[in-house]
Amino acid sequence: MLKGKVAVVTGGSRGIGRAIAEKFASLGADVAVVYAGNAEAAAEVCRICSREYGVKAKPYCCDVSDFASVKETVAAVKEDFGTVHILVNNAGITRDGLAARMKEEDFDRVIAVNLKGAFHMIRHCSSLFIRNREGCIINIASVTGLMGNAGQCNYAASKAGLIGLTKTIARELAPRGVRCNAIAPGFIATDMTDSQSENPMLGMIPLGKMGEPGDVADAAAYLATARYVTGDVLRVDGGIAM
Ligand code: NAI
């Protein structure tokens, strides 16, 4: 389904990003795995993609909040893979706290990684998409960006911002054949939600359980091939934000 396509997945070394990288590889895409720190984990994801699915996969260490590093990384991916067809902006962090007590640096860092990082990747991949007259951008937002969540003003703002970014890029690049969509996951079992097992909001999920990274990867695979869908926000949340 994705044979001949090159996908870049940020934060692809674990959790949701890893599931997306492996899903895309299973559908035949070559994969560039962008990671922040854990080189061994990123290398392992690439080994699995190559060994199990026979695609080309390579890790790239890059802090997505750094404009110049992202530029270099996209250039390296172009050198290694020839181009980029699919970009998944999945890298994300939390620095939770009530707004009244939040440190300025915690607000800034979350915006820098979650929102500006996605802009940096889009900014540097766009010329490749435009040249190819095709492209698919998938931004991993969150239901927190739709509903808000006490204790996460920085995270919620970054994810709501990502939704505005998604719709604007969808409008700007639609005439060039480039689609841009967001996924808004609810509670997904990963390292990020390890500490959430007692969260009372879990009891409010209509489907009655947390999701798996594979549930988000399935949605990403749909968006990667949904030729007439752009500017959409697809909730993968067990119904919590309906
Ligand atoms: P995770 O913490 O397991 O993975 C996050 C990934 O982002 C890691 O690979 C990390 O290395 C990477 N990353 C962090 N900062 C980076 C930077 N500056 N540059 C490059 N990479 C960086 O988290 P998880 O759960 O897999 O989350 C993935 C995405 O899904 C995030 O954007 C998160 O906000 C979003 N999300 C997760 C939900 C959940 O319940 N787990 C719910 C809604 C959204």
Side-chain angles (χ1 to χ4, degrees):
M1 212 157 58
L2 298 179
K3 207 166 165 39
K5 303 294 181 197
V6 176
V8 177
V9 183
T10 69
S13 59
R14 70 179 200 213
I16 292 170
R18 176 181 182 154
I20 293 173
E22 292 183 10
K23 178 78 187 184
F24 282 10
S26 78
L27 297 172
D30 293 326
V31 189
V33 173
V34 176
Y35 69 98
N38 192 339
E40 186 38 52
E44 174 63 10
V45 174
C46 291
R47 270 196 297 275
I48 288 171
C49 290
S50 312
R51 203 190 310 131
E52 309 252 319
Y53 307 115
V55 301
K56 180 171 170 178
K58 205 173 163 190
Y60 298 84
C61 184
C62 171
D63 176 352
V64 296
S65 72
D66 183 331
F67 187 88
S69 297
V70 171
K71 184 177 183 182
E72 274 173 31
T73 299
V74 173
V77 172
K78 179 174 180 281
E79 182 71 26
D80 295 339
F81 289 84
T83 191
V84 176
H85 301 101
I86 303 166
L87 165 64
V88 183
N89 285 310
N90 164 80
I93 58 168
T94 53
R95 295 274 190 279
D96 295 353
L98 294 173
R101 288 200 294 264
M102 183 171 287
K103 291 195 193 113
E104 183 185 14
E105 69 237 39
D106 287 341
F107 192 92
D108 288 349
R109 185 65 190 152
V110 169
I111 298 290
V113 174
N114 298 8
L115 179 55
K116 231 175 141 207
F119 162 68
H120 293 157
M121 292 297 304
I122 292 167
R123 167 71 177 75
H124 294 301
C125 287
S126 287
S127 57
L128 301 176
F129 297 148
I130 289 168
R131 201 169 309 154
N132 293 337
R133 294 177 194 282
E134 72 164 270
C136 171
I137 302 164
I138 300 169
N139 295 321
I140 308 300
S142 168
V143 291
T144 300
L146 299 170
M147 306 162 73
N149 191 23
Q152 289 198 306
C153 67
N154 48 1
Y155 185 78
S158 74
K159 296 300 188 179
L162 209 42
I163 290 170
L165 180 71
T166 299
K167 293 180 180 179
T168 300
I169 298 297
R171 288 185 188 280
E172 286 186 7
L173 294 184
R176 310 299 197 122
V178 181
R179 297 180 300 106
C180 182
N181 293 287
I183 297 174
F187 283 95
I188 309 294
T190 67
D191 291 352
M192 187 178 270
T193 49
D194 243 3
S195 58
Q196 302 280 322
S197 56
E198 305 292 310
N199 190 322
M201 283 186 71
L202 292 177
M204 293 162 58
I205 303 170
L207 285 179
K209 58 178 182 187
M210 287 177 94
E212 299 294 328
D215 297 324
V216 182
D218 287 349
Y222 161 70
L223 288 175
T225 53
R227 284 172 308 185
Y228 200 56
V229 178
T230 197
D232 198 16
V233 182
L234 177 52
R235 287 188 296 107
V236 180
D237 66 350
I240 196 168
M242 78 173 112

